[in-house]
Amino acid sequence: MSKRSQPSWSPPAKTEKRPVLKLYNSLTRQKEEFVCDNGNRINWYSCGPTVYDASHMGHARSYISFDILRRVMANYFGYDILYVMNITDIDDKIIKRARQHHLFEKYLEENKSLNCIIDDATSVVNYYEIIVKEATDPDKKNAMQKTLDCIASAVKTLKAAVEDKDDAKITNAKCELLQSAKSPISEWLDSRFGATVTDNAIFTALPRYWENEFHKDMKALNVLPPDVLTRVSEYVPQIVKFIEKIIDNGLAYESNGSVYFSVSEFDSKNKHYYARLVPEAYGDTKQLQEGEGDLTDDTSEKRSPNDFALWKRSKAGEPSWSSPWGAGRPGWHIECSAMASDVFGNKLDIHTGGVDLKFPHHDNELAQSEVSH
């Protein structure tokens, strides 16, 4: 069978007669009769949010859908469900956003002079122009250009207010500039001072705040809470052990303090197929890089562009935890495999998550889980 097509899938054997329930199976891309592997008990793991910002409609759509399915299976079909969901509170987006928030608040507290603010804003415009020019997504590019135009206009207004020596206009123009330029100023500050942020507490406060907001949103939508909630930050020791098993099994390697999963080694093994869910995405460097994170620049460390990080060496300005490979943090994909295995052992009945996670996140989960025992 070609490695670039979906391999065959076999359901568990039936153990008792139950009403027929068919669910969409992303491994076969069609509805299949659901068979529980342990009689009436369902082990269900759901990928939770990466808490770096407010929830959006995509979150609502996903978790409402899972909630409806969960209620039907429990209340109508009578299944005993153990529903586990994770919170991703260690991630490149969180690290970058937490640093930027901290640096911007610090910038405001320093109460800069008007001339300094104008000079800084001019530097921000120059810095942001380069980012806009390099942007490839047309929608993002247009949005960024509007922000840039707004900042340039606000700088012009503040300069005029200063020349007029009108205190009221100066105050309003200053507030308008700092508000309209918050995101670009934060990015500019991060590019200059991000490496100086060393307090791990800074990287904890932001995700905890947005996690609480997420729970409020789910409660408002009447989505049932999970039976078990896991956080990446509370599972680092288990994640390290999980990675060690994969290394011991010859499917991962250490490089410059980071650890990578060897896709080619895995794919060469009998009955192992990389990208089982989305075989046509195999080798898609854009999606693979997005899965590695904004702060990752590891092409020289990897044996292959298809390999993905299990453990990332922490650079200056990033939180870190101790490991056999040095100070670092978990990669994104490894967290769900480690946490689900810790709660459920080596078998799941249902794994849910956003459709945008199928490749590379869920495909990477499948691969590393298959070789961790």
Side-chain angles (χ1 to χ4, degrees):
M1 179 181 292
S2 169
K3 288 279 188 177
R4 301 286 72 82
S5 62
Q6 287 187 301
S8 59
W9 172 83
S10 299
K14 289 186 180 181
T15 57
E16 60 178 293
K17 288 187 177 181
R18 301 185 64 87
V20 174
L21 168 66
K22 289 190 175 183
L23 300 176
Y24 182 81
N25 183 355
S26 54
L27 278 169
T28 61
R29 303 189 184 186
Q30 63 185 15
K31 287 184 180 179
E32 305 277 1
E33 182 177 349
F34 177 73
V35 179
C36 190
D37 191 52
N38 187 26
N40 191 50
R41 177 62 177 268
I42 293 177
N43 290 340
W44 185 336
Y45 182 88
S46 187
C47 275
T50 300
V51 283
Y52 69 99
D53 206 338
S55 303
H56 50 66
M57 288 300 292
H59 293 113
R61 192 268 180 211
S62 294
Y63 296 112
I64 289 174
S65 298
F66 304 154
D67 187 64
I68 292 171
L69 180 60
R70 180 183 175 188
R71 290 171 187 264
V72 169
M73 295 183 74
N75 299 336
Y76 181 78
F77 288 91
Y79 283 107
D80 177 20
I81 300 172
L82 179 59
Y83 187 87
V84 178
M85 187 183 76
N86 80 293
I87 295 292
T88 296
D89 58 356
I90 302 174
D91 178 79
D92 287 30
K93 291 178 181 177
I94 293 172
I95 293 169
K96 194 172 180 179
R97 185 67 60 87
R99 274 196 327 227
Q100 291 178 355
H101 177 77
H102 168 74
L103 291 169
F104 184 76
E105 291 299 314
K106 185 179 178 182
Y107 183 83
L108 294 182
E109 290 170 2
E110 289 172 353
N111 199 21
K112 304 278 188 179
S113 68
L114 287 174
N115 287 335
C116 183
I117 290 174
I118 291 172
D119 289 343
D120 287 346
T122 302
S123 298
V124 169
V125 169
N126 295 334
Y127 172 78
Y128 209 59
E129 279 179 342
I130 298 173
I131 296 177
V132 173
K133 191 176 294 184
E134 293 177 348
T136 55
D137 185 303
D139 292 333
K140 288 183 179 180
K141 193 179 187 77
N142 289 335
M144 292 166 72
Q145 185 61 53
K146 287 181 181 179
T147 301
L148 183 59
D149 294 340
C150 186
I151 299 169
S153 175
V155 171
K156 186 177 180 180
T157 301
L158 180 57
K159 285 181 177 178
V162 171
E163 290 176 0
D164 292 343
K165 298 181 180 179
D166 187 321
D167 291 341
K169 286 184 178 179
I170 290 172
T171 300
N172 290 336
K174 177 183 173 182
C175 290
E176 181 185 342
L177 172 60
L178 291 174
Q179 184 61 38
S180 64
K182 179 178 179 180
S183 179
I185 288 175
S186 298
E187 287 197 41
W188 175 70
L189 289 169
D190 191 47
S191 69
R192 299 182 67 198
F193 307 113
T196 66
V197 180
T198 57
D199 185 359
N200 264 20
I202 291 169
F203 303 104
T204 301
L206 182 86
R208 191 65 72 246
Y209 171 81
W210 286 118
E211 180 192 334
N212 290 334
E213 292 299 302
F214 169 79
H215 292 314
K216 290 178 186 177
D217 291 338
M218 293 302 105
K219 185 176 182 180
L221 292 169
N222 199 30
V223 172
L224 292 172
D227 298 310
V228 178
L229 185 74
T230 62
R231 297 184 184 91
V232 181
S233 60
E234 297 169 355
Y235 264 83
V236 175
Q238 293 93 325
I239 291 172
V240 168
K241 289 181 180 178
F242 198 92
I243 295 171
E244 288 180 309
K245 289 180 183 178
I246 299 175
I247 293 175
D248 291 342
N249 290 335
L251 275 299
Y253 57 92
E254 185 271 339
S255 177
N256 195 28
S258 295
V259 179
Y260 297 97
F261 187 91
S262 177
V263 169
S264 60
E265 188 68 27
F266 171 84
D267 212 35
S268 68
K269 302 293 184 182
N270 186 36
K271 295 184 178 181
H272 284 319
Y273 302 85
Y274 180 67
R276 289 165 64 96
L277 290 169
V278 194
E280 61 270 24
Y282 186 96
D284 186 328
T285 54
K286 182 180 179 182
Q287 290 194 67
L288 288 166
Q289 185 56 39
E290 287 177 356
E292 292 297 78
D294 295 341
L295 302 176
T296 303
D297 182 18
D298 51 22
T299 52
S300 62
E301 295 179 357
K302 293 181 178 182
R303 294 176 184 173
S304 166
N306 291 327
D307 296 348
F308 57 89
L310 303 178
W311 183 263
K312 296 181 178 182
R313 175 180 60 86
S314 288
K315 302 185 291 293
E318 298 177 1
S320 64
W321 288 260
S322 60
S323 80
W325 319 287
R329 52 195 173 88
W332 176 37
H333 311 294
I334 193 66
E335 60 183 53
C336 289
S337 295
M339 289 187 288
S341 296
D342 185 72
V343 178
F344 293 123
N346 62 1
K347 279 199 175 181
L348 289 178
D349 296 295
I350 297 177
H351 186 309
T352 48
V355 67
D356 56 317
L357 302 181
K358 288 175 69 173
F359 184 88
H361 186 55
H362 290 160
D363 268 323
N364 289 353
E365 276 190 65
L366 280 167
Q368 62 203 9
S369 295
E370 288 179 16
V371 297
S372 63
H373 301 285

